[in-house]
């Protein structure tokens, strides 16, 4: 996970973390179940003992034995190194990690589009804090939290366009003919981002 210059490293009981400026995609850490509240693994039901230790899943906060959890990256919570997650949370962690490594990078790098009937080519990219879509040259930004509906549609000439609906605004982004593949990939990445925000990015989502 690449270090953000606006964040600092902090050693916590739960792992080494990047703390500082917030991203729209950040996920708050769950409250951990107290050790004395769990006498057995919440997955396989093996009893805890001197030899069978308790392990907290960093994503859900539940307690498991060592066989029912694995170490895996959890960038949404700012962890720098892989941390323990349970088997139930693992599919979501995989999808989220793939988003951070590939799709988020594409979104912040940007791609070229025209907007509606305007022939001006805009560089569209996600802001550094991931809260809004920015345009260069300037065009009114789109707040991700205000997007009510987002769809990739095909026009009569088979060209794919990105339709973004907000409460009082509808925008249609058309991929620029220059480096069209990058624009298509950006559209798909934004769709992944919206699934992530609504907690629908999971095992069924392809990376």
């Amino acid at each position: 996970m690449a270090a953000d210059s606006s964040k600092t490293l902090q050693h916590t009981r739960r792992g080494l973390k990047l703390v500082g400026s917030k991203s729209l995609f950040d996920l708050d850490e769950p409250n951990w179940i107290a050790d004395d509240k769990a006498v057995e693994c919440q997955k396989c039901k093996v009893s805890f003992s001197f030899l069978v230790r308790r392990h907290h899943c960093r994503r859900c906060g539940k307690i498991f034995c060592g066989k029912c959890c694995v170490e895996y990256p959890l960038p949404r919570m700012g962890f720098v190194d892989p941390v323990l997650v349970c088997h139930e949370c693992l599919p979501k962690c995989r999808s989220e990690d793939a988003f951070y490594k590939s799709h988020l990078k594409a979104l912040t790098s940007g791609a070229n589009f025209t907007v509606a009937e305007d022939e001006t080519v805009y560089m569209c990219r996600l802001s550094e804090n991931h809260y809004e879509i920015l345009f260069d040259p300037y065009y009114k930004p789109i707040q991700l939290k205000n997007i009510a509906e987002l769809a990739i549609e095909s026009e009569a000439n088979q060209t794919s366009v990105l339709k973004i609906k907000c409460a009082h605004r509808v925008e249609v982004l058309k991929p620029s003919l220059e480096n069209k593949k990058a624009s298509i990939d950006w559209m798909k990445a934004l769709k992944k981002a919206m699934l992530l925000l609504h907690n629908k990015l999971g095992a069924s989502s392809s990376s």
Side-chain angles (χ1 to χ4, degrees), residues 128-169:
E128 290 187 7
N129 61 9
H130 312 141
Y131 276 77
E132 58 186 1
I133 299 171
L134 304 176
F135 297 83
D136 185 18
Y138 180 80
Y139 189 79
K140 187 177 180 181
I142 299 174
Q143 299 285 329
L144 260 64
K145 65 181 181 180
N146 292 338
I147 295 177
E149 185 179 337
L150 183 147
I152 298 176
E153 301 179 351
S154 294
E155 295 190 323
N157 60 2
Q158 301 301 309
T159 300
S160 294
V161 298
L162 182 66
K163 192 170 186 179
I164 302 174
K165 291 184 179 181
C166 301
H168 305 289
R169 178 181 181 185

Side-chain angles (χ1 to χ4, degrees), residues 24-25 99-113 123-128 130-134 144 147 150 162 164 173 182-197:
L24 184 62
F25 302 119
F99 173 81
Y100 271 76
K101 287 179 177 177
S102 176
H103 306 299
L104 184 56
K105 184 177 179 180
L107 288 171
T108 53
S109 295
N112 292 323
F113 293 88
M123 167 59 74
C124 301
R125 65 176 181 84
L126 199 60
S127 61
E128 290 187 7
H130 312 141
Y131 276 77
E132 58 186 1
I133 299 171
L134 304 176
L144 260 64
I147 295 177
L150 183 147
L162 182 66
I164 302 174
L173 306 186
S183 300
I184 297 294
D185 289 343
W186 194 91
M187 290 160 53
K188 292 178 180 178
L190 185 60
K191 195 169 183 180
K192 295 276 189 182
M194 297 309 297
L195 289 173
L196 183 67
L197 287 180

Side-chain angles (χ1 to χ4, degrees), residues 9-83:
L9 285 172
Q10 180 177 322
H11 289 274
T12 72
R13 178 192 169 204
R14 302 181 182 187
L16 184 63
K17 296 189 65 176
L18 280 171
V19 297
S21 60
K22 295 284 287 183
S23 159
L24 184 62
F25 302 119
D26 283 351
L27 193 65
D28 292 332
E29 289 187 51
N31 293 322
W32 280 14
I33 293 176
D35 286 355
D36 59 5
K37 299 295 184 182
V39 297
E40 62 183 17
C41 173
Q42 294 184 259
K43 174 67 175 178
C44 71
K45 307 302 181 183
V46 65
S47 296
F48 293 122
S49 65
F50 179 76
L51 296 177
V52 182
R53 295 180 56 199
R54 295 172 174 82
H55 300 278
H56 283 88
C57 171
R58 268 52 175 180
R59 200 182 191 288
C60 68
K62 296 178 182 178
I63 298 178
F64 303 88
C65 69
K67 292 182 179 180
C68 291
C69 53
V70 297
E71 287 192 345
Y72 203 82
L74 192 49
R76 285 194 76 188
M77 291 184 183
F79 289 108
V80 175
D81 301 314
V83 292

